[in-house]
Amino acid sequence: MDAYHGCAVWNAVGLVTAIETRQPHLKGLKFDATDTAARATRYANAQATGEVDLSLTQNLATYGAVIELDVPEREWFSRGEHYAGTLDAVERPFSITEARVVRVTVKPVDAGRNDSTHRDVAQLRALLGDRLVLLAP
């Protein structure tokens, strides 16, 4: 079953490393996912920009990352599309050991800028190879 996790690039490194190596990360063995890339993009953009936008038509913001996962089939916790004031309208916690990373899409900063995000992207590329998708800045 497909699931998606949205976060900032620097947080994606820790979660992807944990899933790929089957080792806990700083937040433990569980992580939250949602059912669509659009919802995950909301999470990614909120972490990357510090601003919450409940729209489901957003483009991935600079420093954003959407992790596409293969996880066991489960029923989602759903609060409905009109659940006001929060991003977690549809979610489910999963264990690191039961997830597989399918693809990670990130939007780094311009390659000409000296930024720690370049190190994070290099780490993701080493872990994922062609499963890492870089969007143009």
Side-chain angles (χ1 to χ4, degrees):
M1 174 175 105
D2 289 338
Y4 302 87
H5 178 85
C7 59
V9 173
W10 48 87
N11 291 331
V13 173
L15 180 58
V16 169
T17 300
I19 292 171
E20 291 289 302
T21 63
R22 300 294 193 218
Q23 301 294 318
H25 62 99
L26 294 175
K27 294 182 180 180
L29 285 170
K30 297 276 188 185
F31 67 95
D32 291 327
T34 190
D35 64 338
T36 67
R39 286 191 179 94
T41 300
R42 290 194 306 196
Y43 283 95
N45 290 353
Q47 274 194 23
T49 67
E51 297 176 10
V52 175
D53 179 353
L54 298 179
S55 165
L56 288 173
T57 60
Q58 302 175 53
N59 292 320
L60 191 61
T62 300
Y63 302 116
V66 173
I67 304 169
E68 183 180 345
L69 302 149
D70 182 32
V71 293
E73 186 76 35
R74 294 219 178 104
E75 185 176 334
W76 293 100
F77 299 129
S78 179
R79 295 173 183 88
E81 282 303 315
H82 302 292
Y83 189 66
T86 185
L87 297 173
D88 60 353
V90 180
E91 66 179 350
R92 181 79 200 196
F94 291 94
S95 170
I96 285 169
T97 57
E98 62 187 2
R100 186 181 66 81
V101 176
V102 174
R103 177 179 21 262
V104 176
T105 303
V106 299
K107 187 167 183 183
V109 295
D110 182 335
R113 287 183 52 189
N114 183 10
D115 190 278
S116 63
T117 306
H118 296 299
R119 182 193 70 235
D120 297 332
V121 169
Q123 287 178 304
L124 288 170
R125 186 179 308 285
L127 285 165
L128 299 168
D130 63 358
R131 294 181 291 157
L132 177 65
V133 176
L134 296 177
L135 300 179

